[in-house]
Amino acid sequence: MGGIVMLKRIVLLVVVLAAALPAGAQETIKVGLVTALSGQSAQAGEAISRGLQTAIDELNAKGGILKGRKLELLRRDDEATPAKGVIAARELVFKEKVAVLFGGLDTPVSLAIVPLMNQEKIPFMGPWAAGTAITRNGANPNFAFRVSAVDELVDKAMLQYSLKTFNAKSCGMILVNNPWGESNEKGLTAALAAKGMKAAGVEKFEANDVDVVPQLSRLKAAGADCLFLVGNVGPSSQVVKSLDRMGWKPPIVSHWGPAGGRFTELAGPSARNVHFVQTYSFFGTQRPVGQKVLKALMAKYPDIKGPADVTPAVGVANAYDAMMLVALAIEKAGSTDGPAIREGFYKIDRYEGLIKTYEKPFSPQTHDALTENDYVWTQFIDNQIVPVGLKN
Amino acid sequence: MKRPGVLAITVGFAAAAAGAWLGNSYYVFVIATLALTALVGVGLNVLVGLAGQVSFGHVGFYAMGAYAVAILTTSGKWSFWAALPAAGVIAAATGALLALPAVRVRGPYLAMVTIAFGFIVENAASEWKGLTGGQNGIMGIAQPFAERWIALFAIALAAVATVAFALLRDNRLGKAMLAVKDSETAAESIGIDPVRVKTVAFALSAGCAGIAGGVFAPLAGFVTPSTFAFSQSILFVLAVMIGGAGTVAGPLVGAAVVVLLPEALASLAEYRLLLFGVLLLGVLLAAPEGVVGTLDRLLGRRKPRCLEGTPAALGASSGLELEAERLGIVFGGVRAASGVSFRAPPGRITSLIGPNGAGKSTVLNLLGGFYRPQEGTVRLDRTSIGGLAAWRIARAGVARTYQTTQLFDSMSVAENVSLASPRGESERYLGFVGYRGELDAGAGSLAHVDKRLVEIARALAMQPSVLLLDEPAAGLSAADKRRLAALLKEIAAAGVAVVLVEHDMAMVMDISDSIVVLDAGVVVAYGPPQEIRTSPAVRNAYLGDGASRLAASRQDAAPGARLLETSGLRAAYGAEPVLQGVNCDVREREFVAVLGANGAGKSTLMRALAGLHRPVQGTIAFAGETLSALAAHEIVRRGIVLVPEGRQVFPELSVRENLELGAFACGGEAPAIESMLERFPRLRERLAQRAGLLSGGEQQMLAVARGLMGRPKLLMLDEPSLGLAPKVIQDLFATLDRLRSDAATILLVDQMAELALSLAERAYVLQAGQIVSQGSPAEVAAGAGIEQAYLGARA
Amino acid sequence: MLASALLSGLGLGSMYGLLALGFYVTYSVSRTVNFSQGSSMMLGAVLAYTFVMRAGWPLVLAIAAALLLCALYGVVVERIAVRPFVKRRSEGWLMSTVAVGIIADNAVLFTFGKEPRGFSVPWTAASADVLGVHVSALQVAIPAVGLGAAAVLHAFSRRSRLGKAMRAVMQNPDAARLMGIDVSLAVAAAYAIASVFAGVAGVMIAPLFNVHSDMGTVFGLKAFAVAILGGITSAWGVVLAGLVFGAAESLITAFLGSSYTQILTFALVIVALAIRPDGLLGRAVVRKV
């Protein structure tokens, strides 16, 4: 047995070496990721890493792309600050010479990196950060692409949903005090203004706040009958628990934050009152791609025992599809040349992905692969994210 | 700055510039970041390394500079070259403003004020949306020139700042900052206003941070609040501390560590911070004074530079009279001085004497402005200077020295003196006082006598009308004292009004023109030396009276075996030797007294025996065991208990708790407390009171009782009669007498020589750290040493 | 609104006070503090969670074990990050305790996990309406435990042998040595106590909050502000300042809006220190030369 394994390895080595001989053309294709890997957002960074790695493993197992070149992921921690993110991006671009750079979850970090990418003509792919200006950055040619939600669209959808489902008259905003919260404040205010409405009140809270009662009391006093919630899973659960303590039960329409973790465990039974937007859920019946990815995740990461452990699911799903689309773009380009890959994105016809089947996802006008039609309204029932109305 | 240091710094900057010129965009950016961090670090070093203040809020100034340039060049349409100086000015002005509250607080309070400032700036940046663009900040800041040139510009700025720092450190202002760091008190005594100096330090260092931020904005192309988080402030302080605060190259090395180390660890992704933390701790543990500081210490020494030629004369003084008028002050309910009036005419030596705790130093502090008089005033040539800040009084012409020398330890001897001199002269004054050591020696490492001389030289360099001296002879050898006496006479002869607080009676009697005797804060005698020497009040205050009344009532239990024995015991404070080979012993059931002048080493001997003073050379043997290496708490458990000088009861604890703590080492409080209360009935009434509220005598009783609670095999008492009224001293010695008759083993140090000898069975006389005479009380009393030590009778 | 804001403010304030008491204890005994006090709080919560939710231990046992380990952590911090610097008269402990905090936070990140976890204890959900304000059991329990812990510290320092020894060290380390008190032991004990207090705060906050490696950072910082505001050498000052700070935070948020909360509370600290440089109840030290 051992001898056979050994022999196989030697053969493999010879093959690899032989393949590598012609002018190093077969060297690996490096892709970079700059995101928060430590601190509060470590889990989100891990989710993006896992989504990318799962896609890369799948591609490499099939023999790589561009006729046998393997993909390699290089990750850097930006500690959620733009300054660190920009240095990390420079390192990956100039020192490691990555073909494509993936962004992380903080909009300011991505906004700080994108000008560099446009200048160096290397494609940037955003699997998470939803700030509108990341892809609509005014540059020509524009090298920033995204497979994620867009705040502006989510905000419109949130308002739409609150009017339709809860017949809301006067909405209050409760937003985490960071760039993401502020970007949605703008978006929601604009969405309300478009309908000739005004917010009952806008309140911010810190991501590490234990108690949000004072802010919520202000919204209640201002006559809010529905809350727009923007915050990651931890901060979102603080809002829900604070509402419980106040004994106030307004309907809550939320951005996708609660999907980032064990929301029910964190927020308690009232978690189910929060209706939030989603791009993807591993719960329920999965299409073949979903089954395949979930299986791969469970095989690779021992802490994943079922769909509930894939958190935040959006990070994994967006990153997986983003990587697959990047691979297709490189194939279409036929090289790792930045401008060619950019053109390659536009040439993608159809890709049967995890989130959806993408039909001509990118064009010079649209650098966002997901649209408002791809948002699903969901809620937590026990430990599962399910579309609203499916269970009760 | 030593030559290898200059070379290393030059090479470092050249390498950075070469890297910025040749490297790819990543290296250019990293080097630029490094240069900006170094620039902030150099600025922060002015505050931390020179002025001795800490700031955990420097990111606030950095942010202000960055936002100023961002806002002015984008919406303000200013040119970068106009915006950058504006950024520096805004930050510096804010720094000066922050100094208003910051100079009022110290230590952790200062840390908090600066932390709070950093947070306010960060939050204001995210809330003041109209100006700052809120959380998402300002993007797309135009670069005034190519990135490579920005990096080179940043390197140039850092280099200029480094040179400026080196110049500042050697210039008057920088020295004034160091002076404030080393000793605010001494700085004030040579006319430096600490508030102003600290404010300037804050402004300069904030300005550097502001300029660095101003370059960061176009380099990065964006500013957002999260770029300027608290953690960044910590990195700045880290850069200074890792490198070595106060050194020229320190912040450069430190900046390299905090910027390059994370880059070197970048490929560790999420594990980077963890490893960064570990390496940080390692570096701090390996080089607690910073990398450069530690290297400095390991490398090179300077060539010694000494004074040559004959001592110069002192120029004539302006000749003003100092007058104290009914000075009074109360500390925590205790009248430390009350109605103190006297004159110190020019060209004369006026001495203040009195037992320990009589208020001599307090009066000196009132004269020099260290304390603000609550009653009365001080006049200099009929102008009232009472209540002015110390530095103003110093500038008005009143110089002083301190009981424990207050030199600027991190500066050289020459720097200490030249800083005080309006013309920056040092050699003249050092020559005049007779200093013969190295001019460039660090003041902190000087021998005791040289510290005294340098301090006097520093005071004289102020060209004062009045010179206040607080125990200048303490701890000096007989020969040194003679030289000092001659020096003081010479100073007076130059027209200076000399005010002297001194314990050495021989010297006081010899050189004073008039003497003020204080006891318990009140003037009890005032006149020329002859008058004072014969005054009964003075004799009483010093020697006590009627020692003979104590009956030698001990049931002559013959002393037993040797309990305690020292041989060749040596101890030193820093470079200054205090005990120089003391051999003494105490037998069981023996009462031994140790006598000697102030500064002879009596207290140090006690502290060495009790384990408070470590390390010591030589041996201390007790009941067959060697104690020289044991710590105090271990020695107590072996049965040696010290009742320390100044009583040192625990003021916030009740009398009962104090007593209980006395039995901490051996347990069994309750019965022992009862027996103490029988011995000291006064304590019974006060049992529940806070010890701090007791009178001095009661506190001393408590201290003795507390010592006895430990059931000592050897009880040591250090100056128990200090600062007590004569009647109380009688009571105290009666108590000691009873203890003696109970066959306790006692080692006593007391300034009341006669009383001590009346109780003791054997005595040692200590002078300059050596035993000069020993034997029975009669033998010792008959010897010449004792009179000389205490009353200054000429041998 | 006033009542509910005050209630939640005082609750949080008592936890700030608890953490700040840790600063008080170590500072009084040794003139040093653990700048990463927040990490000790995080450890308390993380350990209690791990023992209850993962190991399935009974609550009381789990909390006891967590606090014991916190005490141990405090001793270790003192040993490796404070004592070596104090011995060499270096201020390096300022930075080294920060480094230890970074290490602790990241070590927990990789062992405990990156996800925030919810730690719900059965009785925390109980609630009632009191005088028109909705009050949960935990909200009552938190200030009660906070003040209780302060009272325990008070009793400990007055009644126990070690407590008295520590008070002696606070007032006069040399005299304490002469009583046979091992000062370095007292300092280690102070660090243990500080860590345990932080741990208690962590366990109490955990059900209201969520458990993750980063949960203590902001708390630790605010607690430092509280300790300084109160006067770091005054236990009662620290407790009082905690309540003031907590109430100020939630009242400012409730009546002026959250935009101003941090700016105003930190400005309050600066102004208070400008007026009282030794904190609310701190006592000025008489300078001597």
Side-chain angles (χ1 to χ4, degrees):
Chain A
M1 275 298 276
I4 293 171
V5 172
M6 199 57 157
L7 195 69
K8 271 187 179 168
R9 280 198 186 155
I10 291 169
V11 170
L12 195 72
L13 193 69
V14 170
V15 169
V16 168
L17 280 177
L21 275 177
Q26 295 302 88
E27 69 194 50
T28 58
I29 300 170
K30 292 176 179 175
V31 293
L33 166 64
V34 175
T35 186
L37 294 169
S38 60
Q40 279 211 331
S41 306
Q43 177 71 14
E46 176 73 25
I48 299 175
S49 305
R50 287 180 174 185
L52 294 179
Q53 195 59 54
T54 306
I56 287 173
D57 288 351
E58 191 181 322
L59 291 165
N60 284 348
K62 283 188 204 149
I65 56 174
L66 288 185
K67 304 201 183 75
R69 286 175 70 181
K70 303 276 183 189
L71 287 155
E72 185 191 353
L73 177 63
L74 301 176
R75 300 181 307 140
R76 296 293 180 262
D77 184 9
D78 66 22
E79 294 169 39
T81 64
K84 301 246 177 199
V86 165
I87 290 200
R90 280 167 189 264
E91 193 228 345
L92 291 174
V93 168
F94 295 108
K95 193 165 154 230
E96 299 293 351
K97 311 223 180 288
V98 294
V100 177
L101 186 73
F102 287 84
L105 68 154
D106 293 291
T107 294
V109 179
S110 293
L111 285 177
I113 292 176
V114 162
L116 175 75
M117 307 309 289
N118 281 332
Q119 184 192 313
E120 296 303 320
K121 305 199 186 310
I122 292 175
F124 173 89
M125 173 56 86
W128 189 305
T132 312
I134 296 172
T135 46
R136 294 178 206 173
N137 53 41
N140 186 22
N142 176 7
F143 281 80
F145 297 85
R146 171 160 53 195
V147 181
S148 183
V150 183
D151 281 342
E152 228 171 61
L153 302 181
V154 172
D155 294 333
K156 279 185 199 153
M158 281 168 72
L159 177 61
Q160 206 66 50
Y161 186 79
S162 69
L163 295 177
K164 209 173 73 194
T165 314
F166 300 115
N167 197 19
K169 297 272 179 297
S170 176
C171 293
M173 298 181 211
I174 180 80
L175 316 167
V176 67
N177 189 15
N178 67 16
W180 185 37
E182 195 179 288
S183 149
N184 283 289
E185 181 186 347
K186 272 188 208 147
L188 286 167
T189 310
L192 283 165
K195 296 252 184 244
M197 296 171 68
K198 264 188 76 177
V202 181
E203 289 298 325
K204 300 281 186 67
F205 65 106
E206 300 300 321
N208 252 325
D209 271 356
V210 172
D211 203 329
V212 199
V213 171
Q215 287 91 328
L216 294 169
S217 304
R218 279 169 71 85
L219 292 177
K220 192 180 180 188
D225 61 358
C226 172
L227 294 182
F228 291 139
L229 169 64
V230 176
N232 282 333
V233 60
S236 292
S237 69
Q238 292 314 108
V239 170
V240 173
K241 280 189 275 189
S242 293
L243 283 170
D244 271 355
R245 280 204 294 282
M246 291 169 66
W248 185 30
K249 291 185 176 26
I252 306 166
V253 179
S254 169
H255 207 302
W256 63 10
R262 301 162 197 276
F263 192 50
T264 307
E265 178 186 306
L266 296 171
S270 303
R272 64 160 59 198
N273 299 341
V274 180
H275 293 201
F276 56 93
V277 79
Q278 270 293 276
T279 53
Y280 191 71
S281 163
F282 282 97
F283 290 107
T285 26
Q286 298 283 314
R287 289 183 300 130
V289 183
Q291 286 169 16
K292 179 181 69 186
V293 172
L294 189 58
K295 218 173 104 192
L297 284 167
M298 286 163 71
K300 189 164 173 79
Y301 303 103
D303 58 316
I304 297 182
K305 300 191 175 60
D309 300 315
V310 188
T311 57
V314 288
V316 177
N318 292 355
Y320 178 87
D321 274 358
M323 183 65 234
M324 286 304 188
L325 288 167
V326 164
L328 286 175
I330 294 175
E331 287 285 16
K332 294 277 179 200
S335 81
T336 55
D337 173 55
I341 299 175
R342 178 172 162 272
E343 292 298 327
F345 276 114
Y346 302 144
K347 292 181 193 147
I348 300 171
D349 299 320
R350 188 168 188 281
Y351 157 59
E352 200 168 313
L354 183 60
I355 297 172
K356 65 172 180 178
T357 298
Y358 297 81
E359 304 272 359
K360 282 222 163 274
F362 300 108
S363 72
Q365 288 74 43
T366 335
H367 278 214
D368 275 293
L370 298 183
T371 68
E372 51 264 67
N373 304 330
D374 301 314
Y375 304 155
V376 227
W377 285 96
T378 55
Q379 67 189 129
F380 262 94
I381 304 292
D382 298 328
N383 287 321
Q384 307 215 343
I385 298 174
V386 293
V388 171
L390 219 66
K391 267 195 205 174
N392 258 315
Chain B
M1 196 75 225
K2 284 174 293 254
R3 198 166 292 163
V6 174
L7 190 68
I9 292 175
T10 314
V11 169
F13 275 113
W21 187 246
L22 301 170
N24 67 33
S25 177
Y26 164 60
Y27 293 112
V28 170
F29 196 84
V30 169
I31 289 171
T33 312
L34 168 58
L36 293 179
T37 309
L39 179 55
V40 180
V42 171
L44 191 54
N45 200 20
V46 173
L47 193 65
V48 178
L50 295 185
Q53 308 291 300
V54 74
S55 166
F56 285 105
H58 257 52
V59 77
F61 301 120
Y62 190 64
M64 286 182 134
Y67 270 99
V69 166
I71 293 165
L72 291 174
T73 57
T74 52
S75 38
K77 308 268 180 254
W78 286 31
S79 97
F80 172 73
W81 296 112
L84 187 63
V89 170
I90 290 171
T94 315
L97 206 63
L98 181 67
L100 283 179
V103 299
R104 289 173 54 82
V105 294
R106 280 156 213 280
Y109 293 89
L110 175 60
M112 189 61 231
V113 166
T114 56
I115 290 172
F117 166 73
F119 269 93
I120 290 173
V121 172
E122 188 192 341
N123 277 287
S126 55
E127 297 303 336
W128 196 352
K129 297 193 180 85
L131 193 65
T132 63
Q135 290 277 9
N136 283 298
I138 300 168
M139 297 278 165
I141 301 160
Q143 298 193 335
F145 33 78
E147 199 166 80
R148 216 174 275 289
W149 287 101
I150 298 184
L152 290 170
F153 181 55
I155 293 169
L157 283 176
V160 168
T162 307
V163 172
F165 179 87
L167 294 175
L168 174 70
R169 198 177 65 158
D170 289 336
N171 127 315
R172 258 188 102 67
L173 178 61
K175 298 255 185 274
M177 289 178 185
L178 272 176
V180 168
K181 178 192 181 190
D182 280 353
S183 166
E184 220 167 285
T185 309
E188 285 188 89
S189 81
I190 58 167
I192 294 170
D193 176 3
V195 171
R196 191 148 87 198
V197 167
K198 287 191 215 169
T199 306
V200 170
F202 261 102
L204 282 179
S205 107
C208 278
I211 300 238
V215 179
F216 171 80
L219 172 72
F222 63 86
V223 288
T224 68
S226 59
T227 308
F228 308 111
F230 175 55
S231 54
Q232 188 63 39
S233 273
I234 293 200
L235 284 185
F236 288 149
V237 180
L238 209 52
V240 175
M241 291 190 59
I242 281 190
T247 61
V248 174
L252 309 178
V253 175
V257 173
V258 301
V259 173
L260 299 184
L261 187 61
E263 288 312 308
L265 302 176
S267 58
L268 292 174
E270 60 259 58
Y271 297 101
R272 168 166 79 172
L273 265 180
L274 180 64
L275 203 70
F276 184 60
V278 172
L279 289 175
L280 218 57
L281 187 62
V283 173
L284 285 166
L285 284 170
E289 298 139 89
V291 175
V292 175
T294 307
L295 281 178
D296 246 8
R297 201 163 42 80
L298 295 176
L299 292 173
R301 280 187 52 86
R302 275 170 253 233
K303 201 165 61 185
R305 188 163 69 95
C306 296
L307 273 178
E308 283 153 19
T310 47
L314 193 65
S317 162
S318 48
L320 305 180
E321 182 180 73
L322 185 77
E323 184 189 356
E325 193 185 287
R326 292 199 299 279
L327 286 177
I329 192 166
V330 176
F331 292 124
V334 179
R335 282 204 155 266
S338 168
V340 176
S341 299
F342 63 90
R343 287 160 189 277
R348 298 276 185 275
I349 296 177
T350 309
S351 293
L352 290 170
I353 63 168
N356 264 332
K360 305 181 296 290
S361 289
T362 304
V363 170
L364 218 56
N365 284 337
L366 288 168
L367 295 177
F370 186 73
Y371 294 153
R372 179 188 285 262
Q374 291 162 347
E375 296 156 15
T377 189
V378 181
R379 284 183 224 285
L380 184 64
D381 194 31
R382 300 202 185 78
T383 317
S384 172
I385 54 168
L388 292 185
W391 64 272
R392 286 190 188 278
I393 291 182
R395 285 191 183 179
V398 180
R400 70 169 293 184
T401 70
Y402 299 87
Q403 198 173 337
T404 42
T405 51
Q406 299 267 343
L407 290 179
F408 307 124
D409 286 348
S410 59
M411 286 187 230
S412 74
V413 168
E415 287 169 335
N416 260 279
V417 179
S418 65
L419 185 56
S421 163
R423 284 198 299 275
E425 304 162 307
S426 61
E427 306 191 4
R428 196 175 137 206
Y429 299 103
L430 284 166
F432 175 73
V433 300
Y435 174 78
R436 289 293 170 269
E438 281 179 40
L439 289 175
D440 297 323
S445 62
L446 289 182
H448 181 63
V449 59
D450 284 339
K451 281 190 179 172
R452 293 274 181 215
L453 291 177
V454 172
E455 200 181 26
I456 293 171
R458 186 180 66 189
L460 291 175
M462 299 273 300
Q463 299 182 331
S465 313
V466 180
L467 177 62
L468 311 175
L469 299 145
D470 199 349
E471 300 199 21
L476 298 193
S477 71
D480 285 334
K481 278 184 190 172
R482 274 195 299 279
R483 274 195 289 276
L484 178 68
L487 175 64
L488 296 185
K489 279 191 202 165
E490 248 184 284
I491 294 171
V496 176
V498 177
V499 179
L500 175 69
V501 166
E502 185 48 64
H503 273 290
D504 186 312
M505 285 298 164
M507 188 171 135
V508 169
M509 294 294 168
D510 189 37
I511 66 173
S512 303
D513 294 292
S514 62
I515 295 179
V516 181
V517 185
L518 286 170
D519 196 8
V522 182
V523 177
V524 294
Y526 179 24
Q530 312 81 291
E531 224 173 85
I532 297 297
R533 194 195 291 280
T534 53
S535 156
V538 178
R539 223 186 141 68
N540 194 11
Y542 272 86
L543 286 181
D545 55 351
S548 50
R549 255 180 275 153
L550 285 171
S553 62
R554 184 155 178 154
Q555 289 92 12
D556 265 288
R562 237 179 225 142
L563 190 60
L564 175 81
E565 184 173 14
T566 71
S567 68
L569 187 63
R570 288 171 180 278
Y573 285 109
E576 174 194 338
V578 184
L579 298 181
Q580 319 203 34
V582 172
N583 303 311
C584 65
D585 61 78
V586 179
R587 290 163 179 276
E588 276 175 22
R589 299 185 294 282
E590 199 181 20
F591 193 124
V592 177
V594 178
L595 309 175
N598 242 303
K602 303 186 303 284
S603 284
T604 307
L605 175 62
M606 292 302 215
R607 291 173 60 82
L609 294 177
L612 287 178
H613 188 101
R614 287 289 180 267
V616 293
Q617 281 96 52
T619 56
I620 303 169
F622 181 74
E625 191 184 358
T626 304
L627 304 185
S628 344
L630 291 187
H633 68 273
E634 294 165 314
I635 287 182
V636 173
R637 290 179 191 159
R638 283 161 177 79
I640 300 184
V641 172
L642 170 66
V643 178
E645 181 181 349
R647 306 182 271 277
Q648 304 198 22
V649 297
F650 301 109
E652 304 286 320
L653 302 189
S654 71
V655 169
R656 177 186 283 282
E657 286 170 323
N658 267 278
L659 290 174
E660 285 168 356
L661 278 169
F664 188 85
C666 58
E669 288 96 343
I673 287 179
E674 189 48 41
S675 79
M676 283 310 136
L677 296 179
E678 274 159 29
R679 202 182 275 274
F680 303 99
R682 286 286 287 282
L683 295 182
R684 191 186 293 278
E685 307 155 28
R686 310 272 178 178
L687 205 53
Q689 266 184 28
R690 267 174 44 203
L693 299 175
L694 301 187
S695 73
E698 288 165 339
Q699 288 193 6
Q700 187 63 60
M701 297 293 180
L702 175 59
V704 174
R706 187 182 64 178
L708 289 172
M709 286 290 291
R711 279 181 268 155
K713 293 192 187 115
L714 169 64
L715 181 69
M716 304 194 294
L717 298 128
D718 192 358
E719 303 277 12
S721 71
L722 203 92
L724 300 183
K727 173 72 186 76
V728 180
I729 295 178
Q730 289 290 336
D731 292 352
L732 176 71
F733 274 75
T735 309
L736 296 183
D737 192 30
R738 277 206 304 283
L739 276 175
R740 186 183 65 145
S741 36
D742 294 347
T745 311
I746 294 173
L747 182 61
L748 170 73
V749 161
D750 205 282
Q751 54 175 356
M752 293 287 177
E754 278 187 41
L755 274 170
L757 287 176
S758 75
L759 287 173
E761 285 139 2
R762 218 147 50 80
Y764 291 96
V765 179
L766 207 56
Q767 199 174 353
Q770 285 171 316
I771 287 175
V772 292
S773 137
Q774 56 178 301
S776 71
E779 289 163 1
V780 168
I786 179 89
E787 274 279 290
Q788 190 194 355
Y790 279 80
L791 271 186
R794 258 141 289 190
Chain C
M1 200 149 85
L2 176 73
S4 74
L6 212 52
L7 182 74
S8 59
L10 292 178
L12 272 186
S14 63
M15 290 297 107
Y16 295 149
L18 205 52
L19 235 66
L21 274 178
F23 286 119
Y24 152 76
V25 172
T26 62
Y27 190 79
S28 308
V29 172
S30 68
R31 303 285 135 180
T32 57
V33 296
N34 174 6
F35 261 106
S36 303
Q37 180 79 334
S39 300
S40 314
M41 168 184 160
M42 175 273 294
L43 275 182
V46 163
L47 290 169
Y49 176 91
T50 308
F51 293 147
V52 174
M53 308 300 272
R54 297 201 180 147
W57 294 7
L59 189 64
V60 176
L61 178 69
I63 291 177
L67 296 183
L68 200 69
L69 287 172
C70 276
L72 189 68
Y73 172 75
V75 172
V76 169
V77 169
E78 197 268 331
R79 254 310 143 86
I80 65 167
V82 179
R83 196 178 296 185
F85 297 96
V86 171
K87 256 192 193 153
R88 288 185 269 191
R89 292 169 196 285
S90 155
E91 304 256 296
W93 54 267
L94 276 174
M95 291 289 113
S96 61
T97 52
V98 172
V100 170
I102 294 177
I103 296 170
D105 288 0
N106 282 281
V108 167
L109 184 71
F110 298 119
T111 50
F112 175 76
K114 296 171 183 175
E115 256 187 298
R117 301 302 299 255
F119 185 13
S120 65
V121 183
W123 50 272
T124 56
S127 63
D129 280 303
V130 181
L131 301 172
V133 181
H134 202 73
V135 182
S136 77
L138 194 61
Q139 270 179 302
V140 180
I142 283 181
V145 168
L147 294 175
V152 167
L153 178 69
H154 186 75
F156 166 80
S157 71
R158 253 141 243 276
R159 303 254 179 278
S160 79
R161 193 175 144 81
L162 183 59
K164 283 178 192 170
M166 286 175 62
R167 277 210 295 159
V169 174
M170 284 178 194
Q171 292 174 42
N172 189 333
D174 265 3
R177 282 191 182 93
L178 293 175
M179 303 297 111
I181 294 165
D182 183 349
V183 171
S184 57
L185 188 73
V187 172
Y191 270 84
I193 290 172
S195 230
V196 167
F197 272 30
V200 171
V203 170
M204 291 309 294
I205 285 291
L208 280 182
F209 202 21
N210 42 64
V211 182
H212 59 274
S213 64
D214 198 36
M215 68 184 282
T217 316
V218 173
F219 256 87
L221 211 64
K222 287 184 180 170
F224 184 64
V226 160
I228 294 300
L229 185 64
I232 194 165
T233 50
S234 159
W236 294 114
V238 163
V239 172
L240 176 72
L243 298 177
V244 169
F245 194 91
E249 261 192 343
S250 70
L251 289 179
I252 291 170
T253 308
F255 291 99
L256 297 176
S258 50
S259 314
Y260 301 98
T261 315
Q262 297 227 337
I263 297 177
L264 285 183
T265 44
F266 281 112
L268 176 93
V269 171
I270 294 184
V271 170
L273 289 179
I275 298 167
R276 292 195 58 92
D278 298 290
L280 295 180
L281 298 188
R283 231 180 289 172
V285 190
V286 177
R287 290 202 292 159
K288 281 187 180 158
V289 285

